[in-house]
Amino acid sequence: MTGITLVGCGFVADLYMKSLATFPDINVLGAYDRDPERRAAFCSHWDIPPLESIDALFAIQPKDGVILNLTNPDAHHEINMACLNAGFHVWSEKPLAVTMEQAQECYDLAKAKGLQLASAPCSVLGQAAQTMAQAVRDKTMGDAQLIYAELDDGYIPQAPLEGWISESGQPWPFVDEFRVGCTLEHAGYYLSWLIGMFGTVRSVTAASATVIPDKKGVTGCAPDFSTATLFFETGPVVRLTCSIAAPHDHQIRVIGDKGVLKLHKAWDNAAPVKFHPRRRIRRRLVDFPIGKKVKFKGAAHPKVERWGAAAMNFALGPAEMLQAIAKGEASRLSGEYALHLNEVTLAIQNAGDDTGAQVMTTGCAPMKAMDWSE
Ligand SMILES: NC(=O)c1ccc[n+]([C@@H]2O[C@H](COP(=O)([O-])OP(=O)(O)OC[C@H]3O[C@@H](n4cnc5c(N)ncnc54)[C@H](O)[C@@H]3O)[C@@H](O)[C@H]2O)c1
């Protein structure tokens, strides 16, 4: 495989480097960050050439390689556009862009120039997601009728965030994370699987809110909770929840007429997918509590050890993209897929508390506590 370069040497860049090491054929040619100290610390830790500017990066980037845009979400549009304008294929961290106008602009430019543009996350290419997709195709649980997917991370603002430091010494950027919001940051982890399995989302009915008013004094925070009902063109209905307030819960359940498919760890490429058949036992109806592990029929991919909250190989997407470029094919994580994922994510994030809501005309006061001694 040919070479890649990195723009952005922050927290996630370290996770990419650990992941890229599992693909020895991919050459990491260098990295650029606008912060010279970060650039120096990162490049010296990983022993790769530091690149002093984006133009210096363009000068060494091969045309059949991929530039990884690992900058903060607010910079994604600017960097994606600059790389595409310079004639390079781009892998963008999520979201593709923070507005649909910007995302569409990136998509249109890539299309006009015949370049590939893909966006994270790439866990959809990993074993757990592919096992679930295989079971859905095989109708292990019957037809997929209803899906519950949770991306609740626990009460994050009270976690010891200042101590979350990446391997090359970069702090977890909690100010940026709170401002971007957990929906833009995380909804994609299951949306990418769902869109991969079922295709187009026809409509979204969603709400988002801020339930934790003070997050370490950070101003301008995005919603920290969202819930959405997604109606897929091909039939299934999905309930998706994201928050940094509710107790940690990353499970997904695919409900069909024969039982339930379950997976508990969205961020683990090796998480088991289990089938819980539904049975009638005398007058009771039971989804078996102990599930049967679904066996993956495909070939294994390189795994990375758990680091922090995740055991995901971040290089699966760029590796698949390089393969597609070499074959002259579109990547599975195509521009259309990235654009649709971005649109659905923004629809949920920006829903607020009254967009499309049915505002109630009746009301009542909270109930007085019950006292049976009265
Ligand atoms: N932190 C995580 O655990 C994590 C996990 C998965 C994905 N991501 C995604 O990765 C991306 C980066 O997140 P992060 O946590 O690494 O952030 P970070 O703040 O730690 O690092 C971002 C880096 O990009 C650099 N940068 C910003 N704008 C730039 C520009 N215009 N030109 C050059 N460099 C620029 C910054 O100087 C910084 O070093 C985000 O899109 C985020 O959603 C983060």
Side-chain angles (χ1 to χ4, degrees):
M1 288 194 203
T2 175
I4 62 161
T5 47
L6 281 59
V7 186
C9 301
F11 196 94
V12 87
D14 282 337
L15 301 179
Y16 273 85
M17 288 305 287
K18 285 171 92 74
S19 302
L20 286 162
T22 69
F23 287 96
D25 291 348
I26 300 180
N27 299 315
V28 182
L29 303 171
Y32 162 66
D33 194 297
R34 66 180 175 190
D35 178 334
E37 276 176 33
R38 282 189 169 216
R39 185 170 73 220
F42 178 82
C43 292
S44 111
H45 180 85
W46 295 104
D47 195 20
I48 56 169
L51 305 166
E52 309 254 304
S53 65
I54 194 107
D55 288 329
L57 183 145
F58 293 157
I60 61 153
Q61 173 65 33
K63 292 280 180 185
D64 57 353
V66 176
I67 299 177
L68 309 190
N69 178 3
L70 311 182
T71 61
N72 307 93
D74 268 346
H76 286 181
H77 171 256
E78 173 204 332
I79 299 296
N80 289 341
M81 292 294 285
C83 297
L84 291 167
N85 267 320
F88 298 106
H89 304 290
V90 180
W91 170 265
S92 172
E93 246 307 328
K94 63 183 162 51
L96 184 59
V98 292
T99 67
M100 264 323 271
E101 292 71 26
Q102 289 183 349
Q104 187 73 50
E105 214 185 340
C106 296
Y107 170 84
D108 290 344
L109 182 59
K111 198 159 185 196
K113 288 195 160 258
L115 295 166
Q116 305 229 13
L117 171 67
S119 147
C122 63
S123 60
V124 62
L125 301 175
Q127 188 177 309
Q130 290 295 316
T131 307
M132 178 153 271
Q134 170 196 297
V136 166
R137 277 194 306 273
D138 292 349
K139 297 186 189 284
T140 304
M141 71 292 139
D143 282 322
Q145 294 164 327
L146 177 66
I147 294 120
Y148 277 19
E150 330 288 347
L151 287 160
D152 291 312
D153 295 337
Y155 206 94
I156 293 296
Q158 285 179 1
L161 307 177
E162 292 81 357
W164 295 0
I165 306 291
S166 76
E167 201 175 313
S168 71
Q170 309 311 327
W172 189 67
F174 66 85
V175 174
D176 198 48
E177 290 267 342
F178 292 160
R179 287 181 178 157
V180 172
C182 60
T183 304
L184 262 196
E185 289 284 355
H186 294 163
Y189 283 110
Y190 275 142
L191 275 180
S192 58
W193 296 23
L194 293 161
I195 294 172
M197 286 190 281
F198 304 117
T200 302
V201 177
R202 178 172 49 80
S203 72
V204 174
T205 303
S208 62
T210 297
V211 298
I212 306 174
D214 180 26
K215 296 185 193 61
K216 292 191 180 282
V218 177
T219 54
C221 293
D224 48 28
F225 162 77
S226 68
T227 179
T229 307
L230 313 175
F231 298 87
F232 277 83
E233 230 167 57
T234 50
V237 174
V238 174
R239 182 194 77 178
L240 175 71
T241 313
C242 295
S243 88
I244 50 168
H248 188 281
D249 183 355
H250 277 190
Q251 70 174 321
I252 182 166
R253 289 169 286 175
V254 182
I255 299 142
D257 52 332
K258 292 185 187 158
V260 181
L261 272 183
K262 280 190 201 173
L263 176 144
H264 286 274
K265 294 179 182 169
W267 293 349
D268 182 347
N269 287 149
V273 177
K274 293 192 177 170
F275 172 54
H276 300 254
R278 188 171 306 121
R279 296 273 185 272
R280 273 197 304 202
I281 303 174
R282 292 191 207 101
R283 283 182 298 165
R284 290 175 60 213
L285 182 67
V286 180
D287 288 334
F288 266 42
I290 299 170
K292 189 171 173 237
K293 199 169 162 186
V294 178
K295 211 168 163 214
F296 182 49
K297 295 174 199 157
H301 60 77
K303 309 276 188 328
V304 291
E305 281 176 16
R306 170 165 298 280
W307 198 93
M312 284 187 288
N313 191 328
F314 284 78
L316 298 181
E320 193 269 350
M321 209 173 166
L322 284 168
Q323 278 177 10
I325 292 164
K327 288 190 210 157
E329 295 171 357
S331 163
R332 282 177 178 76
L333 305 181
S334 65
E336 287 76 16
Y337 175 84
L339 193 64
H340 190 52
L341 182 62
N342 213 74
E343 183 178 25
V344 177
T345 309
L346 282 170
I348 303 172
Q349 161 109 344
N350 296 337
D353 60 7
D354 62 0
T355 312
Q358 303 175 62
V359 179
M360 299 300 108
T361 56
T362 56
C364 61
M367 193 182 287
K368 218 173 100 186
M370 184 62 211
D371 181 355
W372 289 102
S373 68
E374 273 175 10

